Amino acid sequence: MTNPLLSDWDTPFDLAPFAQIEDAHFEPAFDAAIAEHNAEIDEITGNSAPPTFANTVEALEAAGRSLSRVLSVFFTLAGADSTPERQALQRAFAPRLAAHSAQITGNKALFARISTLWEQREDLDLSEEQARVLMLTHRGFVRAGAALEGAADTRMQQIKSRLAVLGTQFTQNLLADERGWALELSEDDLEGLPDTTIAAMREAGRERGHDGPILTLSRSIITPFLQSSPRRELRETAWRAYVARGANGGDSDNRAIAAEVLALRQERAELLGYDSFADYKLETEMAGTPAAVRDLLMQVWEPARARAQDDARALEAMMHEDGINGRLEPWDWHYYAGRRRQAEHNLNEAELKPYLQLDRMIEAAFDCANRLFGLEFAPLDVPLYHPDCRAWEVTREGRHVAVFIGDYFARGAKRSGAWCSAMRTQARFPQVQTPVVINVCNFARGEPALLSYDDARTLFHEFGHALHQMLSDVRYESVSGTSVARDFVELPSQLFEHWLEVPEVLETFATHADTGAPMPRDMLERVLEAANFDQGFQTVEYVASALVDLEFHDGPPPADPMARQAEILSAIGMPREIAMRHAPPHFAHVFSGDGYSSGYYSYMWSEVMDADAFAAFEEAGDAFDPDLARALEDHILSRGGSVDAAELYQRFRGRLPGVEALLRGRGLIEG
């Protein structure tokens, strides 16, 4: 039988032929692609000619294309349309991929060729991008353990393999807990809930085979429930289920996995000569050291904690006015914050949501991209991996730029959260290729689908990542798009969020779902005035998670992560009324892979830059200033990782920013 994953794709824009791909195709395609990649590596190392940039580094860049194609399809499906069969494949592939990667980085002949080029780098007449690729290649091999010998080398490969298995299991356990919990509600239990939330809960019930509405752990359902339900006992049940994900005992419990991951990461760092995993991980980031990260987070922590404590007292007073004695609890915060928001800004989600239609917010993001960068978006009728998905061709002045795919609705087969990925990234070597970019979200369904303001911000955030991929203009795939330092990757995404709050954007695209009328001017002003509402809470729950992540990795690994978490939170004076945004058993950013380990702070690090970067547009008096938009594309969005991140930012802004812009932007200091 012909395997479509190994065949040429005679499809529009070379998109994956999803309609032809079956789960049975993945394993043989994986085997064949691994073998092909190994043969390509053997060809590089077996070359009798002296190493050159072309026959070693560029040859390495060109290798593994079949494997990348197979994995891009597989991991797209595994994350957004999971099945038991795909989960089993993912568990089988994880250690094999880790071993394959370790085999390449542990290839002494290959490393010797790369090291020779590194030593000769001043005489190679390389372009700026080529010099960067050589540096990153050499550094990547060293940090992967290429210089290790004997038992240390063997142990490093064992650690990598085990970490890959644990990361996959962590993700699948979390999905199992999220998919496995649901609370059937009676009609009386719907008291106080907006019609849009009730409709989403009824749709969730239908999807899971229930006759009535159900409460699930999807954020698009549980957050508005916590904000709107006056039933305190139901709020407590829902909140406890949400924060207990991954810590419910049994086969899906992630606590032991988290402890083992931390221990293995520390051992990995020590094998490479670092004192801690945080030292190892942060060496290549803009922050550089754990001390620099801690300093930033604590500069933000103190004013945020003070604001949150003031807010807690105000919310507790409101609760007492309702005749409920005792302390404000975490499951009370969203409810009373929502009522306070209504009282102070005359604004609630039920009033606001009809003006935030999903389709109109997609149009808004596209329009901003057009006004800033000249991009145009035309719908495509092509087979995709799920009926929920939509696709657009992205062009500029008639020239094809990218394909953009949006997968916006929550469903049981999709992992939680929101993310951007690329099934193909931009490059000009070994052949010219344009990106295929996917935004995946978990919004509640509806007719039409309506968003909360946080949902709309998420849509803009992920589209900012997509722009980073679409506008990439580099030669080599390894430095394309979002292949940048972890604490720089969130800059384009968080920066693009600012355009949602540009008044003319909301005036144009925030139109009522029933009447088509634009958002009233007074409501728009109230929306913008409330943009920083509850920032004490939001900042505390985030910074607490970032500090716990840092401390977990900066020093001896804790045998009991939950006990260590309690110690860390006690030391910083965590308000008891607020929970961490991500506790270890469901902290997928940190434990499903190495991506954000020791790096959850990066959202805050990037926010320092995004606040300063958008200030440039404000100083120009035009959120769509063409010269600044061109500079943003030229110096940041198009360059990927081809230049050091700090250098890119300074080319755009002329300097690096301080934390004050962030604090002012969050309303945590005056000014």
Side-chain angles (χ1 to χ4, degrees):
M1 125 181 121
T2 300
N3 191 324
L5 290 165
L6 299 174
S7 306
D8 291 335
W9 293 349
D10 185 18
T11 56
F13 309 104
D14 293 322
L15 295 175
F18 288 108
Q20 302 172 29
I21 296 171
E22 301 172 1
D23 287 346
H25 292 135
F26 282 114
E27 189 163 13
F30 180 82
D31 292 341
I34 288 277
E36 179 181 317
H37 196 195
N38 285 333
E40 291 166 337
I41 298 300
D42 289 343
E43 185 174 350
I44 297 171
T45 58
N47 191 336
S48 59
T52 65
F53 187 84
N55 71 19
T56 301
V57 177
E58 284 192 332
L60 192 58
E61 287 277 326
R65 296 176 63 78
S66 292
L67 182 59
S68 294
R69 189 167 71 158
V70 170
L71 294 179
S72 73
V73 176
F74 176 74
F75 284 116
T76 294
L77 295 175
D81 194 23
S82 179
T83 64
E85 293 76 17
R86 290 168 188 165
Q87 288 185 328
L89 286 169
Q90 195 172 6
R91 290 192 296 271
F93 289 170
R96 293 185 62 194
L97 277 173
H100 178 63
S101 175
Q103 181 180 345
I104 293 172
T105 56
N107 187 313
K108 303 306 181 185
L110 180 58
F111 182 54
R113 295 180 71 90
I114 294 168
S115 295
T116 297
L117 293 172
W118 178 243
E119 292 165 2
Q120 299 172 350
R121 61 189 180 278
E122 300 298 335
D123 302 320
L124 297 179
D125 193 27
L126 302 178
S127 69
E128 180 182 49
E129 183 176 335
Q130 288 174 328
R132 176 76 173 170
V133 169
L134 174 58
M135 185 279 290
L136 292 172
T137 302
H138 179 263
R139 188 178 73 181
F141 269 71
V142 172
R143 287 171 57 81
L148 296 178
E149 300 285 352
D153 187 16
T154 301
R155 181 56 183 157
M156 177 64 78
Q157 295 191 37
Q158 292 171 343
I159 289 172
K160 289 180 184 178
S161 178
R162 181 60 179 161
L163 284 171
V165 171
L166 293 173
T168 298
Q169 189 62 54
F170 187 98
T171 302
Q172 295 188 357
N173 287 349
L174 182 55
L175 179 60
D177 273 10
E178 291 172 344
R179 183 187 291 166
W181 190 90
L183 183 64
E184 295 186 50
L185 300 180
S186 69
E187 295 301 315
D188 290 343
D189 294 333
L190 305 180
E191 176 190 358
L193 301 183
D195 291 342
T196 54
T197 302
I198 295 173
M201 294 167 74
R202 293 191 190 282
E203 177 61 32
R206 281 191 290 272
E207 182 184 341
R208 298 201 185 193
H210 296 280
D211 293 333
I214 64 170
L215 182 62
T216 73
L217 298 182
S218 168
R219 284 193 66 180
S220 62
I221 288 179
I222 200 166
T223 297
F225 180 85
L226 292 172
Q227 289 170 336
S228 304
S229 175
R231 301 283 297 276
R232 194 180 190 216
E233 73 284 0
L234 286 180
R235 295 201 310 268
E236 180 179 358
T237 298
W239 182 86
R240 289 190 182 280
Y242 189 73
V243 300
R245 292 169 297 150
N248 289 302
D251 292 340
S252 64
D253 198 295
N254 276 332
R255 286 171 288 190
I257 290 176
E260 186 178 355
V261 165
L262 292 172
L264 290 172
R265 285 176 178 163
Q266 178 63 20
E267 185 180 358
R268 177 182 176 185
E270 290 174 356
L271 284 171
L272 294 170
Y274 295 88
D275 291 336
S276 72
F277 184 81
D279 288 312
Y280 160 77
K281 189 66 182 294
L282 296 172
E283 179 185 51
T284 61
E285 307 300 333
M286 290 184 72
T289 66
V293 173
R294 192 175 291 106
D295 179 62
L296 167 68
L297 293 175
M298 292 309 297
Q299 285 186 66
V300 178
W301 174 258
E302 292 303 337
R305 178 174 174 269
R307 175 65 57 82
Q309 289 175 319
D310 289 343
D311 291 343
R313 286 188 283 270
L315 299 182
E316 188 169 272
M318 293 175 64
M319 188 179 77
H320 291 167
E321 290 172 4
D322 281 350
I324 300 174
N325 296 321
R327 301 287 298 271
L328 184 80
E329 299 292 347
W331 49 88
D332 297 318
W333 191 292
H334 284 293
Y335 178 68
Y336 285 100
R339 284 179 45 181
R340 187 184 184 196
R341 183 175 184 238
Q342 169 67 17
E344 294 184 359
H345 298 283
N346 191 25
L347 194 67
N348 61 47
E349 289 295 336
E351 178 187 22
L352 180 58
K353 269 191 169 184
Y355 290 97
L356 299 177
Q357 301 175 66
L358 171 61
D359 286 350
R360 294 293 280 157
M361 290 299 100
I362 294 171
E363 290 180 49
F366 288 176
D367 184 71
C368 290
N370 176 261
R371 296 179 65 183
L372 288 165
F373 310 115
L375 300 179
E376 297 181 329
F377 299 80
L380 288 173
D381 183 11
V382 292
L384 298 168
Y385 63 86
H386 192 278
D388 287 348
C389 296
R390 297 182 249 177
W392 294 264
E393 182 187 8
V394 186
T395 60
R396 179 155 59 181
E397 297 178 346
R399 179 179 62 85
H400 175 77
V401 172
V403 171
F404 174 66
I405 299 171
D407 180 1
Y408 293 109
F409 295 125
R411 53 181 180 268
K414 183 191 288 186
R415 66 179 171 89
S416 60
W419 64 92
C420 175
S421 60
M423 296 194 69
R424 184 175 65 233
T425 54
Q426 178 273 329
R428 296 195 298 275
F429 177 88
Q431 64 187 38
V432 174
Q433 61 187 40
T434 54
V436 176
V437 189
I438 305 178
N439 275 178
V440 183
C441 300
N442 272 280
F443 302 142
R445 297 177 189 274
E447 293 295 338
L450 304 178
L451 305 182
S452 68
Y453 197 73
D454 282 345
D455 287 339
R457 184 180 287 114
T458 295
L459 187 148
F460 268 66
H461 178 101
E462 298 306 333
F463 194 71
H465 282 309
L467 287 172
H468 203 180
Q469 295 279 14
M470 294 177 198
L471 294 172
S472 178
D473 185 16
V474 298
R475 178 172 172 81
Y476 300 106
E477 197 168 351
S478 64
V479 291
S480 177
T482 56
S483 297
V484 299
R486 180 63 63 179
D487 49 11
F488 192 68
V489 75
E490 298 297 337
L491 169 60
S493 55
Q494 293 178 185
L495 176 58
F496 197 69
E497 291 180 36
H498 289 275
W499 273 273
L500 176 62
E501 297 180 354
V502 173
E504 62 191 273
V505 173
L506 288 175
E507 287 171 347
T508 303
F509 295 98
T511 56
H512 198 279
D514 295 328
T515 67
M519 182 182 289
R521 183 71 194 187
D522 71 307
M523 180 185 287
L524 188 150
E525 291 172 354
R526 285 182 277 132
V527 167
L528 297 179
E529 288 171 359
N532 280 326
F533 180 78
D534 213 24
Q535 275 296 328
F537 172 90
Q538 294 179 38
T539 308
V540 161
E541 66 164 1
Y542 164 78
V543 174
S545 295
L547 282 167
V548 167
D549 166 44
L550 179 67
E551 301 302 339
F552 273 180
H553 294 96
D554 188 25
D560 184 345
M562 302 305 290
R564 178 64 180 134
Q565 170 191 294
E567 293 172 359
I568 297 166
L569 297 182
S570 176
I572 63 174
M574 180 74 173
R576 62 174 297 280
E577 304 89 350
I578 303 176
M580 290 168 58
R581 184 173 298 178
H582 303 290
H586 55 258
F587 208 162
H589 281 78
V590 170
F591 291 107
S592 64
D594 274 357
Y596 282 90
S597 55
S598 300
Y600 193 61
Y601 77 92
S602 59
Y603 291 92
M604 189 67 70
W605 192 274
S606 293
E607 189 176 342
V608 170
M609 290 182 286
D610 83 62
D612 179 70
F614 192 72
F617 287 88
E618 293 175 322
E619 292 160 9
D622 181 4
F624 296 95
D625 182 274
D627 292 333
L628 280 172
R630 190 175 305 109
L632 179 63
E633 179 178 352
D634 289 347
H635 296 309
I636 294 178
L637 296 176
S638 70
R639 300 305 300 274
S642 63
V643 178
D644 177 74
E647 173 64 24
L648 287 178
Y649 191 83
Q650 290 181 84
R651 291 180 186 181
F652 170 66
R653 196 67 166 108
R655 53 168 172 73
L656 290 174
V659 73
E660 293 77 14
L662 178 150
L663 294 173
R664 283 194 299 272
R666 286 187 171 234
L668 299 176
I669 61 172
E670 299 297 327

PDB file of all heavy atoms in Angstrom, residues 447-460:
ATOM      1  N   GLU A 447     -23.562  29.649  18.389  1.00  0.00           N
ATOM      2  CA  GLU A 447     -24.087  30.100  17.102  1.00  0.00           C
ATOM      3  C   GLU A 447     -24.599  31.523  17.249  1.00  0.00           C
ATOM      4  O   GLU A 447     -25.755  31.756  17.551  1.00  0.00           O
ATOM      5  CB  GLU A 447     -25.219  29.167  16.636  1.00  0.00           C
ATOM      6  CG  GLU A 447     -24.766  27.774  16.308  1.00  0.00           C
ATOM      7  CD  GLU A 447     -23.829  27.721  15.102  1.00  0.00           C
ATOM      8  OE1 GLU A 447     -23.863  28.677  14.286  1.00  0.00           O
ATOM      9  OE2 GLU A 447     -23.074  26.753  14.973  1.00  0.00           O
ATOM     10  N   PRO A 448     -23.757  32.503  17.044  1.00  0.00           N
ATOM     11  CA  PRO A 448     -22.337  32.413  16.692  1.00  0.00           C
ATOM     12  C   PRO A 448     -21.482  32.181  17.933  1.00  0.00           C
ATOM     13  O   PRO A 448     -21.955  32.343  19.061  1.00  0.00           O
ATOM     14  CB  PRO A 448     -22.037  33.786  16.086  1.00  0.00           C
ATOM     15  CG  PRO A 448     -22.935  34.707  16.853  1.00  0.00           C
ATOM     16  CD  PRO A 448     -24.210  33.923  17.103  1.00  0.00           C
ATOM     17  N   ALA A 449     -20.217  31.828  17.718  1.00  0.00           N
ATOM     18  CA  ALA A 449     -19.282  31.658  18.832  1.00  0.00           C
ATOM     19  C   ALA A 449     -18.897  33.032  19.367  1.00  0.00           C
ATOM     20  O   ALA A 449     -18.509  33.919  18.599  1.00  0.00           O
ATOM     21  CB  ALA A 449     -18.044  30.908  18.375  1.00  0.00           C
ATOM     22  N   LEU A 450     -19.023  33.191  20.678  1.00  0.00           N
ATOM     23  CA  LEU A 450     -18.714  34.459  21.335  1.00  0.00           C
ATOM     24  C   LEU A 450     -17.530  34.272  22.280  1.00  0.00           C
ATOM     25  O   LEU A 450     -17.384  33.224  22.904  1.00  0.00           O
ATOM     26  CB  LEU A 450     -19.927  34.969  22.114  1.00  0.00           C
ATOM     27  CG  LEU A 450     -21.220  35.133  21.317  1.00  0.00           C
ATOM     28  CD1 LEU A 450     -22.350  35.601  22.231  1.00  0.00           C
ATOM     29  CD2 LEU A 450     -21.033  36.113  20.159  1.00  0.00           C
ATOM     30  N   LEU A 451     -16.718  35.297  22.396  1.00  0.00           N
ATOM     31  CA  LEU A 451     -15.507  35.229  23.203  1.00  0.00           C
ATOM     32  C   LEU A 451     -15.615  36.133  24.424  1.00  0.00           C
ATOM     33  O   LEU A 451     -16.282  37.162  24.385  1.00  0.00           O
ATOM     34  CB  LEU A 451     -14.294  35.672  22.381  1.00  0.00           C
ATOM     35  CG  LEU A 451     -14.033  34.956  21.057  1.00  0.00           C
ATOM     36  CD1 LEU A 451     -12.753  35.498  20.419  1.00  0.00           C
ATOM     37  CD2 LEU A 451     -13.946  33.454  21.241  1.00  0.00           C
ATOM     38  N   SER A 452     -14.923  35.736  25.484  1.00  0.00           N
ATOM     39  CA  SER A 452     -14.667  36.677  26.560  1.00  0.00           C
ATOM     40  C   SER A 452     -13.549  37.603  26.104  1.00  0.00           C
ATOM     41  O   SER A 452     -12.888  37.369  25.082  1.00  0.00           O
ATOM     42  CB  SER A 452     -14.233  35.934  27.825  1.00  0.00           C
ATOM     43  OG  SER A 452     -12.954  35.345  27.632  1.00  0.00           O
ATOM     44  N   TYR A 453     -13.313  38.674  26.880  1.00  0.00           N
ATOM     45  CA  TYR A 453     -12.227  39.576  26.500  1.00  0.00           C
ATOM     46  C   TYR A 453     -10.886  38.861  26.602  1.00  0.00           C
ATOM     47  O   TYR A 453      -9.992  39.070  25.763  1.00  0.00           O
ATOM     48  CB  TYR A 453     -12.249  40.827  27.383  1.00  0.00           C
ATOM     49  CG  TYR A 453     -11.439  41.954  26.803  1.00  0.00           C
ATOM     50  CD1 TYR A 453     -11.900  42.657  25.688  1.00  0.00           C
ATOM     51  CD2 TYR A 453     -10.219  42.313  27.342  1.00  0.00           C
ATOM     52  CE1 TYR A 453     -11.160  43.686  25.140  1.00  0.00           C
ATOM     53  CE2 TYR A 453      -9.471  43.347  26.799  1.00  0.00           C
ATOM     54  CZ  TYR A 453      -9.947  44.028  25.695  1.00  0.00           C
ATOM     55  OH  TYR A 453      -9.211  45.037  25.144  1.00  0.00           O
ATOM     56  N   ASP A 454     -10.733  37.984  27.601  1.00  0.00           N
ATOM     57  CA  ASP A 454      -9.500  37.197  27.715  1.00  0.00           C
ATOM     58  C   ASP A 454      -9.335  36.265  26.510  1.00  0.00           C
ATOM     59  O   ASP A 454      -8.220  36.062  26.024  1.00  0.00           O
ATOM     60  CB  ASP A 454      -9.494  36.383  29.007  1.00  0.00           C
ATOM     61  CG  ASP A 454      -9.147  37.229  30.221  1.00  0.00           C
ATOM     62  OD1 ASP A 454      -8.647  38.351  30.043  1.00  0.00           O
ATOM     63  OD2 ASP A 454      -9.383  36.760  31.349  1.00  0.00           O
ATOM     64  N   ASP A 455     -10.448  35.687  26.037  1.00  0.00           N
ATOM     65  CA  ASP A 455     -10.386  34.843  24.846  1.00  0.00           C
ATOM     66  C   ASP A 455      -9.899  35.645  23.640  1.00  0.00           C
ATOM     67  O   ASP A 455      -9.071  35.175  22.849  1.00  0.00           O
ATOM     68  CB  ASP A 455     -11.763  34.261  24.521  1.00  0.00           C
ATOM     69  CG  ASP A 455     -12.213  33.178  25.474  1.00  0.00           C
ATOM     70  OD1 ASP A 455     -11.354  32.584  26.150  1.00  0.00           O
ATOM     71  OD2 ASP A 455     -13.430  32.921  25.534  1.00  0.00           O
ATOM     72  N   ALA A 456     -10.447  36.846  23.480  1.00  0.00           N
ATOM     73  CA  ALA A 456     -10.048  37.692  22.350  1.00  0.00           C
ATOM     74  C   ALA A 456      -8.562  38.030  22.439  1.00  0.00           C
ATOM     75  O   ALA A 456      -7.846  38.036  21.427  1.00  0.00           O
ATOM     76  CB  ALA A 456     -10.887  38.961  22.317  1.00  0.00           C
ATOM     77  N   ARG A 457      -8.097  38.278  23.660  1.00  0.00           N
ATOM     78  CA  ARG A 457      -6.666  38.557  23.837  1.00  0.00           C
ATOM     79  C   ARG A 457      -5.839  37.319  23.472  1.00  0.00           C
ATOM     80  O   ARG A 457      -4.771  37.427  22.854  1.00  0.00           O
ATOM     81  CB  ARG A 457      -6.395  38.987  25.274  1.00  0.00           C
ATOM     82  CG  ARG A 457      -4.945  39.378  25.522  1.00  0.00           C
ATOM     83  CD  ARG A 457      -4.695  39.795  26.949  1.00  0.00           C
ATOM     84  NE  ARG A 457      -5.255  41.106  27.249  1.00  0.00           N
ATOM     85  CZ  ARG A 457      -6.246  41.339  28.092  1.00  0.00           C
ATOM     86  NH1 ARG A 457      -6.813  40.314  28.729  1.00  0.00           N
ATOM     87  NH2 ARG A 457      -6.676  42.555  28.309  1.00  0.00           N
ATOM     88  N   THR A 458      -6.324  36.127  23.847  1.00  0.00           N
ATOM     89  CA  THR A 458      -5.636  34.892  23.483  1.00  0.00           C
ATOM     90  C   THR A 458      -5.552  34.740  21.974  1.00  0.00           C
ATOM     91  O   THR A 458      -4.512  34.340  21.424  1.00  0.00           O
ATOM     92  CB  THR A 458      -6.353  33.676  24.103  1.00  0.00           C
ATOM     93  OG1 THR A 458      -6.250  33.749  25.530  1.00  0.00           O
ATOM     94  CG2 THR A 458      -5.743  32.368  23.623  1.00  0.00           C
ATOM     95  N   LEU A 459      -6.639  35.042  21.276  1.00  0.00           N
ATOM     96  CA  LEU A 459      -6.639  34.945  19.822  1.00  0.00           C
ATOM     97  C   LEU A 459      -5.566  35.855  19.221  1.00  0.00           C
ATOM     98  O   LEU A 459      -4.796  35.444  18.342  1.00  0.00           O
ATOM     99  CB  LEU A 459      -8.022  35.304  19.277  1.00  0.00           C
ATOM    100  CG  LEU A 459      -8.244  35.096  17.772  1.00  0.00           C
ATOM    101  CD1 LEU A 459      -9.699  34.723  17.502  1.00  0.00           C
ATOM    102  CD2 LEU A 459      -7.885  36.335  16.952  1.00  0.00           C
ATOM    103  N   PHE A 460      -5.489  37.092  19.698  1.00  0.00           N
ATOM    104  CA  PHE A 460      -4.470  38.015  19.200  1.00  0.00           C
ATOM    105  C   PHE A 460      -3.069  37.530  19.575  1.00  0.00           C
ATOM    106  O   PHE A 460      -2.124  37.641  18.780  1.00  0.00           O
ATOM    107  CB  PHE A 460      -4.724  39.423  19.738  1.00  0.00           C
ATOM    108  CG  PHE A 460      -5.576  40.278  18.838  1.00  0.00           C
ATOM    109  CD1 PHE A 460      -6.906  39.964  18.608  1.00  0.00           C
ATOM    110  CD2 PHE A 460      -5.049  41.384  18.214  1.00  0.00           C
ATOM    111  CE1 PHE A 460      -7.701  40.736  17.777  1.00  0.00           C
ATOM    112  CE2 PHE A 460      -5.824  42.168  17.367  1.00  0.00           C
ATOM    113  CZ  PHE A 460      -7.160  41.839  17.149  1.00  0.00           C
TER     114      PHE A 460
END
